[in-house]
């Protein structure tokens, strides 16, 4: 809009021997130019208005008109203003296809919320009451702790900062999310996986001895206290906390080692790169539960947590080692017993819904899924 206004002005002011707008002595050419600019101006006005209307309607439909959420209207609205500008052929990254490009999938755009940070940092320590109440019920603890005190102590030991910048048109950050499925067995994906900028693994995920199929590089390893293991230097340990005790544990395991038990034995000391420890944000956890797995299962599986983490910090996301193998078995790639994973079908997660969600993301062109064997 502003551009067309400026053009109008310069047409009016410009030293043109053929035209004087004030005295209306214009040549036909200038008159047509003026008409074209007027039409462009009105079109852009109409377009902005329509988009804003649609956005607000979608917002009201999904939200009801709850007071508690009204604050959100402002960031969403601003986000949409940016989106309408982006729609005019702008890309959010330098890859062929970018996760962040708007207008590719309406379903994705409606569920995706860029305002929620995947990491819990010094800047967003305080949780919304609804997030807090949901999170503390995941693994209820009897002993109350002051979350702010606990986090403040933790952030004296680990950075508590967000190292990820937002989208950047000259960047193409390719990420591999590597699950632990037996379908990786004899997949020969190792070299492919190694070629990514970020390689994210979770829980046990051994690589030694499995390099040909699962690759050897790791940049992010997601674990909770009961699944934690030591990591080589230079890998980000991303702690997925399910309770306040988990934050006390990581603080302890990186310093005095006073905690050895949560609901199961945990490592007293953890050898990981302290400067690269990151804490998964409970608000982001709940956002996945609300917006993506839509309350199927008690809470999303670790695989989902890692996948959406990647969708929020990467430009291209490739998924390996998710789901059953081609015979429908749910074992891990390092297990010989194909039936070892039977319990997963009856767990707290809804494996069928999560599998459908992964398919939808692939159909929307936001991820590519490598299904292995
Ligand atoms: C954008 O990405 C390029 C390439 O990775 C980098 O050199 C540049 O500093 C980034 N710009 C910003 C504003 O982050
Ligand atoms: C550590 O990781 C960075 C990028 O994350 C890489 O450039 C560097 O080579 C790595 N260093 C070692 C010793 O592996
Ligand atoms: C997505 O999450 C945000 C914040 O949690 C919420 O305001 C929004 O309504 C959600 N959208 C959908 C479609 O679930």
């Amino acid at each position: 809009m502003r551009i067309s206004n400026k053009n109008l002005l310069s047409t009016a002011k410009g030293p043109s021997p053929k035209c004087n707008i004030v005295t209306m002595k214009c040549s036909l050419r200038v008159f047509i130019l003026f008409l074209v600019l007027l039409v462009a101006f009105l079109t852009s006005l109409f377009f902005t208005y329509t988009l804003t209307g649609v956005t607000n309607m979608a917002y009201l439909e999904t939200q009801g008109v709850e007071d508690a959420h009204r604050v959100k209207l402002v960031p969403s609205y601003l986000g949409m203003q940016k989106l309408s500008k982006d729609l005019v052929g702008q890309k959010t990254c330098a890859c062929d296809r970018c996760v962040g490009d708007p207008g590719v999938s309406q379903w994705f755009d409606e569920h995706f919320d860029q305002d929620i940070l995947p990491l819990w940092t010094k800047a967003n320590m305080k949780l919304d009451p609804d997030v807090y109440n949901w999170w503390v019920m995941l693994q209820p603890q009897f002993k109350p702790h002051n979350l702010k005190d606990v986090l403040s102590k933790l952030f004296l030991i680990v950075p508590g900062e967000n190292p990820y910048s937002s989208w950047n048109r000259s960047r193409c950050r390719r990420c591999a999310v590597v699950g632990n499925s037996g379908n990786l067995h004899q997949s020969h994906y190792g070299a492919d996986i190694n070629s990514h900028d970020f390689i994210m693994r979770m829980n046990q995920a051994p690589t030694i001895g499995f390099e040909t199929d699962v690759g050897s590089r790791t940049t992010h390893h997601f674990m909770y206290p009961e699944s934690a293991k030591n990591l080589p230097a230079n890998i980000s340990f991303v702690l997925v906390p399910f309770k306040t005790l988990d934050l006390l544990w990581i603080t302890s395991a990186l310093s005095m080692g006073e905690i050895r038990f949560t609901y199961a034995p945990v490592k007293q000391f953890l050898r990981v790169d302290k400067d690269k420890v990151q804490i998964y944000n409970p608000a982001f956890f709940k956002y996945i539960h609300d917006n993506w797995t839509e309350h199927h299962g008690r809470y999303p599986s670790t695989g989902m947590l890692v996948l959406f983490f990647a969708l929020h910090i990467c430009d291209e996301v490739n998924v390996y080692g998710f789901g059953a193998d081609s015979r429908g078995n749910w074992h891990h790639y390092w297990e010989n017993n194909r039936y070892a994973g039977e319990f997963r079908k009856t767990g707290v997660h809804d494996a069928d819904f999560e599998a459908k969600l992964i398919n939808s993301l692939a159909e929307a062109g936001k991820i590519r899924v490598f299904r292995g064997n």
Side-chain angles (χ1 to χ4, degrees):
M1 270 193 290
R2 225 176 287 140
I3 290 169
S4 23
N5 275 337
K6 215 165 101 195
N7 286 350
L8 282 174
L9 272 179
S10 59
T11 313
K13 273 195 206 157
S16 164
K18 287 193 191 137
C19 175
N20 185 333
I21 280 194
V22 180
T23 57
M24 287 308 212
K25 270 192 251 158
C26 293
S27 75
L28 188 62
R29 246 179 37 214
V30 175
F31 180 70
I32 288 170
L33 179 71
F34 180 79
L35 216 63
V36 166
L37 285 172
L38 189 71
V39 167
F41 172 77
L42 288 175
T43 311
S44 77
L45 197 70
F46 172 75
F47 212 70
T48 314
Y49 178 76
T50 313
L51 268 176
T52 312
V54 168
T55 309
N56 284 342
M57 249 162 65
Y59 173 81
L60 290 174
E61 271 167 25
T62 54
Q63 281 302 306
V65 196
E66 284 171 47
D67 277 353
H69 287 105
R70 207 164 271 166
V71 195
K72 246 355 246 134
L73 191 58
V74 175
S76 301
Y77 177 76
L78 289 175
M80 281 302 168
Q81 288 293 87
K82 207 176 70 202
L83 192 143
S84 68
K85 208 174 68 197
D86 283 343
L87 271 175
V88 191
Q90 284 190 0
K91 288 189 70 183
T92 55
C93 83
C95 309
D96 289 341
R97 287 198 296 192
C98 311
V99 169
D101 283 357
V104 178
S105 159
Q106 195 191 346
W107 164 76
F108 184 84
D109 294 350
E110 278 169 10
H111 289 71
F112 192 82
D113 188 347
Q114 219 200 332
D115 296 336
I116 306 177
L117 276 195
L119 291 183
W120 210 358
T121 67
K122 287 174 195 161
N124 62 5
M125 279 202 271
K126 192 163 163 38
L127 301 178
D128 277 353
D130 57 336
V131 172
Y132 178 79
N133 292 331
W134 177 78
W135 181 70
V136 291
M137 290 314 289
L138 293 180
Q139 287 178 9
Q141 295 284 298
F142 297 110
K143 212 169 142 196
H145 297 283
N146 182 319
L147 203 50
K148 188 163 175 282
D149 292 349
V150 171
L151 280 173
S152 304
K153 282 197 191 102
L154 171 56
F155 291 149
L156 294 175
I157 297 177
V158 306
E161 262 135 40
N162 175 25
Y164 309 111
S165 51
S166 67
W167 290 315
N168 169 346
R169 252 171 288 149
S170 48
R171 182 190 77 187
C172 175
R173 177 183 286 156
R174 300 177 61 247
C175 298
V177 175
V178 188
N180 293 326
S181 166
N183 70 24
L184 284 170
H185 192 63
Q186 301 208 315
S187 65
H188 293 86
Y189 286 150
D192 253 19
I193 291 173
N194 278 345
S195 75
H196 290 78
D197 299 302
F198 285 173
I199 299 161
M200 307 183 181
R201 303 181 196 270
M202 59 210 79
N203 299 332
Q204 223 157 315
T207 52
I208 293 167
F210 303 94
E211 293 88 345
T212 321
D213 293 331
V214 310
S216 54
R217 292 182 55 229
T218 305
T219 61
H220 295 69
H221 205 124
F222 293 71
M223 298 181 284
Y224 44 91
E226 296 80 14
S227 75
K229 61 173 196 173
N230 294 333
L231 296 174
N234 218 17
I235 298 179
S236 284
F237 167 36
V238 185
L239 175 73
V240 181
F242 287 85
K243 50 193 175 303
T244 317
L245 182 57
D246 296 353
L247 305 169
L248 291 168
W249 166 77
I250 180 75
T251 309
S252 154
L254 295 174
S255 56
M256 304 301 286
E258 59 278 21
I259 296 177
R260 295 159 186 245
F261 194 88
T262 55
Y263 61 80
V266 288
K267 281 182 85 63
Q268 185 184 4
F269 293 105
L270 191 68
R271 259 182 289 118
V272 298
D273 203 331
K274 271 188 211 176
D275 294 334
K276 294 208 157 188
V277 170
Q278 300 174 1
I279 314 294
Y280 203 96
N281 184 1
F284 195 75
F285 200 152
K286 184 165 187 293
Y287 150 73
I288 298 170
H289 187 56
D290 288 343
N291 284 28
W292 297 101
T293 53
E294 298 175 344
H295 299 196
H296 289 85
R298 210 159 77 74
Y299 51 85
S301 67
T302 311
M304 286 294 113
L305 300 186
V306 181
L307 177 56
F308 282 96
F309 188 98
L311 280 167
H312 280 249
I313 67 164
C314 305
D315 301 314
E316 179 185 316
V317 176
N318 296 311
V319 176
Y320 302 83
F322 271 54
D325 71 8
S326 55
R327 279 167 246 117
N329 296 313
W330 286 89
H331 58 128
H332 294 123
Y333 63 77
W334 61 88
E335 285 164 345
N336 281 323
N337 175 8
R338 273 204 260 130
Y339 306 104
E342 287 302 304
F343 71 93
R344 244 158 294 174
K345 290 180 188 165
T346 57
V348 290
H349 316 303
D350 187 333
D352 290 338
F353 192 83
E354 292 190 353
K356 263 189 260 162
L357 178 55
I358 288 176
N359 290 341
S360 305
L361 289 167
E363 277 159 23
K366 299 297 176 178
I367 62 174
R368 218 168 306 165
V369 183
F370 296 81
R371 301 199 183 268
N373 271 307

